[in-house]
Amino acid sequence: MLATHTPAPLLQTFWQNTARILSGWGWVLPALMLALLLRGITIYLFTYPTGPDYGLHLLFTRQVLETGSLPEFSANYQLGEATWPLLPGGPLIFGLVAAVSASPVFDLVHIVMIFSLIECIGTFALAQQIFKRSDAAIIATLITAILPLFVDMMTWAGYPNLIAVSLFPACFTVWLRYWEHPNGRNLALLTIVLCGTAYIHHISTLWLALAFSSFSLVMLFPKPAETLRRLLPIAIACLLVGLPILLSGVQLIQEQNAGTVLTTATRFDDTRVTWEIWARVITPMGLLLLVGGTAAFLTSQSVSRASKVLIGAYLGITLLLMFGWVIGLRFYYTRALYFLSIPIALGTAAFVLRWQNLWLRALCVVVFTLTLGISATTQAHTASRYFEIVTPDIIEAAEWLKNFSTPSDVIVTGTFLGFQLPHLLDRPQIAALTPDLISNAEILPIAADGISIMMGLSDMDAAIERRSVDFIVVRTRTPDIPDPARSRQVMTVHPRLRLVFRNSDVLIYEVR
């Protein structure tokens, strides 16, 4: 008799628990859908995903799959003389999925959308951890889903950076949980999350390291003994588990001479943050939410000191690198804009919660959502069109070059195709890059020769001879770097160049 009636209360308990979970997490579903819709524009509304950057990440992945080891130098890109200035975690994610699924790497770019969901769920967990209430977590998650900065990053295909940033909320959540309850389970989880995230992208790893180091220094002052009891297990565990990552990071710093770059590299001066760039990536509303939200967050009585110090340290590091030229710090300044999502999302939640009237809170959320959502939608459409690089005609041109050139023929391209053609065409190539787009300084002379050739500068002929150039590829439409219109004029009048291929996207000239 007991066995007959036992399942009933178990089933009832199951449904009660499910309903309780959905009552909080169920509200996250609209945010997840918005994130997929807005960021998916760059993936699913075009024949191929937009953006130049993922081309080199796919090239790295292909080299890993072909050789079974991490490559030191790039194949094809910049004549194969460029070292890889990155931590390999991002491309390895694509490689792992390709190896397991036996699918071409080029067909797996869309898996980056999974991390949009991970980021939104992580933001919900982080806000829940900080505010201890679901309404704040829902607001923060909704803002994260519609921030234009993520859509902008998707358009130019900064996928490894995007993947790493999407894991930041999880890192912060687990860090704060460990700080509140420093037990073995939380320590193990924190170690895994931190080490895994640190291996994905070098700039993102720099952010994490600086943010947590700043947090640790601030927390040491009032209670040094208690703080050290928490920090030492983290340091030991991360050192043991993440030693290979640490060694890779140290090697990367040495190879790229990072200290000198941060203090003397003037090639990043043109990347200073302007109002035009801020309005496009963050929007004016984003600025209001950042300033007002930060003030509301840091003065909130319900937020713990540890949470305030962690988010404050992270925001401080971001602002320092964003406006580093003021103190002589050299950096790709506009890149810092893409690390503002967590302060904006949490700040918005804190700001909305300051209003006691529920209708006023709802009105604020609607206004913020519509303003940011419209900006994100516009940005997704405009920037995606701008960064539509790989098309069926580009694939056709790569196939033509494969058939009508030899494996040793050197090919010169503009910047955007220079990121994509290396994984589409197995030929030594020179990408014409301006100095601010170059991370590894050893390729500056090669890129400068590419610029001279594409722009028809005074040393164009010398550069063609110096690099033994055989073909030059020019886009038929803007944008590109250098300007394709100027490149076409240069190639048309040059006596040594002959047009051998054309379609609606590409012109190919042969050097005679």
Side-chain angles (χ1 to χ4, degrees):
M1 183 68 69
L2 288 176
T4 303
H5 296 284
T6 299
L10 291 178
L11 185 61
Q12 183 179 2
T13 302
F14 169 78
W15 285 115
Q16 288 175 346
N17 290 336
T18 302
R20 180 174 56 82
I21 293 172
L22 289 178
S23 65
W25 286 92
W27 289 100
V28 182
L29 294 179
L32 299 181
M33 294 302 298
L34 283 172
L36 288 176
L37 288 173
L38 288 174
R39 304 181 199 186
I41 289 175
T42 65
I43 298 286
Y44 299 117
L45 292 190
F46 298 85
T47 306
Y48 301 100
T50 67
D53 280 33
Y54 72 85
L56 292 182
H57 301 308
L58 296 186
L59 176 63
F60 184 95
T61 303
R62 196 190 76 189
Q63 287 185 257
V64 171
L65 294 174
E66 290 176 351
T67 64
S69 60
L70 297 178
E72 182 179 357
F73 291 90
S74 63
N76 308 327
Y77 177 67
Q78 304 300 39
L79 303 180
E81 297 181 16
T83 57
W84 285 111
L86 51 78
L87 289 172
L92 287 180
I93 292 174
F94 293 101
L96 176 62
V97 177
V100 172
S101 65
S103 300
V105 178
F106 190 53
D107 296 338
L108 296 173
V109 176
H110 62 274
I111 67 172
V112 73
M113 295 301 298
I114 297 173
F115 292 91
S116 300
L117 305 180
I118 292 174
E119 180 170 31
C120 289
I121 294 172
T123 300
F124 184 90
L126 175 60
Q128 184 77 50
Q129 172 72 25
I130 290 175
F131 295 103
K132 312 297 184 185
R133 48 191 299 173
S134 295
D135 53 353
I138 292 167
I139 294 169
T141 306
L142 183 61
I143 296 300
T144 297
I146 61 176
L147 278 176
L149 67 89
F150 290 115
V151 175
D152 188 81
M153 192 184 297
M154 286 288 293
T155 61
W156 51 265
Y159 294 155
N161 197 169
L162 183 71
I163 291 171
V165 171
S166 71
L167 298 175
F168 277 18
C171 291
F172 290 177
T173 301
V174 180
W175 181 280
L176 291 174
R177 285 182 182 175
Y178 169 80
W179 207 259
E180 289 184 6
H181 306 286
N183 54 48
R185 183 181 63 180
N186 287 337
L187 176 62
L189 183 59
L190 176 61
T191 303
I192 294 171
V193 172
L194 284 184
C195 292
T197 304
Y199 199 48
I200 291 175
H201 187 256
H202 55 291
I203 296 179
S204 303
T205 302
L206 171 67
W207 244 265
L208 281 182
L210 292 176
F212 286 129
S213 297
S214 301
F215 170 89
S216 302
L217 288 175
V218 173
M219 297 299 287
L220 273 172
F221 284 105
K223 299 179 179 179
E226 181 180 335
T227 300
L228 285 175
R229 279 197 298 269
R230 287 177 167 87
L231 289 177
L232 286 177
I234 300 175
I236 295 172
C238 287
L239 181 62
L240 292 176
V241 175
L243 183 59
I245 303 171
L246 177 62
L247 294 177
S248 297
V250 171
Q251 181 181 1
L252 183 61
I253 291 172
Q254 293 174 341
E255 290 177 350
Q256 302 306 319
N257 201 6
T260 302
V261 171
L262 290 173
T263 55
T264 63
T266 59
R267 63 181 184 270
F268 299 123
D269 289 350
D270 291 337
T271 69
R272 293 180 180 181
V273 177
T274 63
W275 176 246
E276 178 185 2
I277 296 173
W278 182 282
R280 173 174 57 84
V281 178
I282 304 296
T283 75
M285 177 60 77
L287 176 60
L288 293 176
L289 294 177
L290 178 64
V291 175
T294 299
F297 182 86
L298 294 179
T299 58
S300 174
Q301 298 296 321
S302 61
V303 176
S304 68
R305 180 175 182 271
S307 298
K308 292 179 181 178
V309 172
L310 178 58
I311 303 304
Y314 176 76
L315 178 59
I317 293 300
T318 302
L319 295 176
L320 174 66
L321 292 173
M322 186 185 303
F323 301 104
W325 71 82
V326 176
I327 59 173
L329 182 64
R330 310 293 183 177
F331 189 71
Y332 198 112
Y333 306 110
T334 56
R335 199 62 173 266
L337 291 169
Y338 300 96
F339 291 87
L340 286 173
S341 59
I342 291 178
I344 292 175
L346 296 178
T348 302
F351 178 80
V352 171
L353 292 181
R354 284 296 180 95
W355 302 98
Q356 298 299 320
N357 188 292
L358 293 179
W359 288 105
L360 190 54
R361 288 183 185 178
L363 178 61
C364 288
V365 173
V366 170
V367 171
F368 298 157
T369 302
L370 287 177
T371 304
L372 294 175
I374 292 172
S375 297
T377 304
T378 304
Q379 176 68 8
H381 181 268
T382 304
S384 293
R385 290 294 180 190
Y386 182 91
F387 284 118
E388 186 184 11
I389 312 300
V390 182
T391 64
D393 284 336
I394 296 296
I395 301 296
E396 180 189 22
E399 289 297 322
W400 185 90
L401 272 171
K402 188 181 301 182
N403 295 325
F404 288 88
S405 63
T406 65
S408 61
D409 285 346
V410 175
I411 299 165
V412 176
T413 70
T415 295
F416 288 172
L417 290 181
F419 286 131
Q420 287 288 354
L421 272 185
H423 81 90
L424 296 172
L425 179 65
D426 193 14
R427 299 288 186 272
Q429 299 171 37
I430 297 175
L433 304 181
T434 54
D436 60 293
L437 297 175
I438 298 173
S439 299
N440 38 344
E442 77 270 5
I443 65 171
L444 284 168
I446 299 176
D449 282 347
I451 290 288
S452 295
I453 294 170
M454 298 299 288
M455 295 187 66
L457 301 183
S458 59
D459 63 337
M460 175 183 180
D461 290 327
I464 289 176
E465 292 298 326
R466 184 162 51 245
R467 304 300 178 183
S468 302
V469 175
D470 298 285
F471 293 94
I472 302 172
V473 181
V474 181
R475 298 189 75 194
T476 62
R477 56 193 175 97
T478 53
D480 202 352
I481 303 170
D483 179 23
R486 170 164 178 163
S487 295
R488 291 195 299 272
Q489 293 176 353
V490 169
M491 306 309 155
T492 300
V493 301
H494 197 286
R496 293 187 58 191
L497 301 180
R498 179 170 64 96
L499 180 65
V500 292
F501 175 89
R502 74 178 304 160
N503 60 26
S504 62
D505 276 359
V506 174
L507 302 174
I508 300 178
Y509 297 86
E510 182 181 19
V511 180
R512 294 182 291 182

